[in-house]
Amino acid sequence: MLGNKIKSAVMVSLLAFTTGAMADITFSATQDGSTINIDKAMFDTDAAKEFLATGKNPYIGNEAAIKAGKKKFNLYSCVACHGGKGEGAVGPGLIGANFRYAKDGTNKGMFETIWHGTNGGMGAKGYGLMAPDDGLKPDEVLQVIAFIRSNSVVKATGNE
């Protein structure tokens, strides 16, 4: 009987894998690891949907996305604390190799930090903590991350 249950579980897992019916990633707050609930409808572009499913940022290396991300990085005054290329100023460097929050070495981790903020008082720019008509959408956060990764001193993509 136990053998049949194991076989059934394996078959369900394989079916989900082969049909693409994978569960979305779960987001965790940088502050305390609690779950961050983000309305899945906000992931409204192909790139954002791919990120939600995999935790991988499809904009890494995409010149148009990097340019758009740089524009948002400047528009939201990220440069004031993190420097013009994310090298760090008043706030921590974002381009590695020593991240203030180790999870920022991954695109999922950096997304969580930007979206929900940090213990250091960073004002998160995600719609989740701001007025519904202000802040960045998930797709725009991914573009900002692509810009930051394009300046990386460790040449990491965050998708490793």
Side-chain angles (χ1 to χ4, degrees):
M1 183 167 169
L2 181 59
N4 287 338
K5 286 184 180 181
I6 291 172
K7 285 179 188 175
S8 295
V10 169
M11 290 303 291
V12 168
S13 296
L14 287 173
L15 181 61
F17 181 74
T18 58
T19 61
M22 301 295 288
D24 294 336
I25 60 174
T26 301
F27 297 106
S28 302
T30 299
Q31 300 92 327
D32 60 11
S34 62
T35 300
I36 302 170
N37 294 311
I38 305 172
D39 182 359
K40 304 301 184 210
M42 293 186 74
F43 293 82
D44 58 357
T45 65
D46 289 341
K49 288 173 186 171
E50 181 179 337
F51 174 73
L52 181 61
T54 66
K56 309 292 184 196
N57 186 345
Y59 287 137
I60 299 300
N62 177 311
E63 289 302 319
I66 291 168
K67 184 176 180 181
K70 179 180 180 180
K71 190 176 222 175
K72 293 290 184 189
F73 192 81
N74 291 324
L75 178 68
Y76 281 94
S77 301
C78 305
V79 299
C81 291
H82 299 291
K85 294 184 176 184
E87 70 277 10
V90 176
L94 305 173
I95 56 177
N98 299 313
F99 294 101
R100 168 112 5 118
Y101 303 96
K103 71 188 276 181
D104 291 347
T106 68
N107 292 316
K108 177 184 175 288
M110 190 171 281
F111 180 93
E112 292 165 338
T113 298
I114 293 170
W115 190 269
H116 199 261
T118 67
N119 290 332
M122 182 190 89
K125 298 299 180 192
Y127 271 84
L129 295 180
M130 301 177 76
D133 60 348
D134 194 11
L136 298 173
K137 291 183 177 182
D139 191 71
E140 294 168 319
V141 173
L142 296 174
Q143 292 171 1
V144 168
I145 292 170
F147 166 68
I148 292 167
R149 298 289 188 218
S150 75
N151 298 308
S152 175
V153 296
V154 294
K155 300 303 175 208
T157 68
N159 283 338
E160 290 85 19

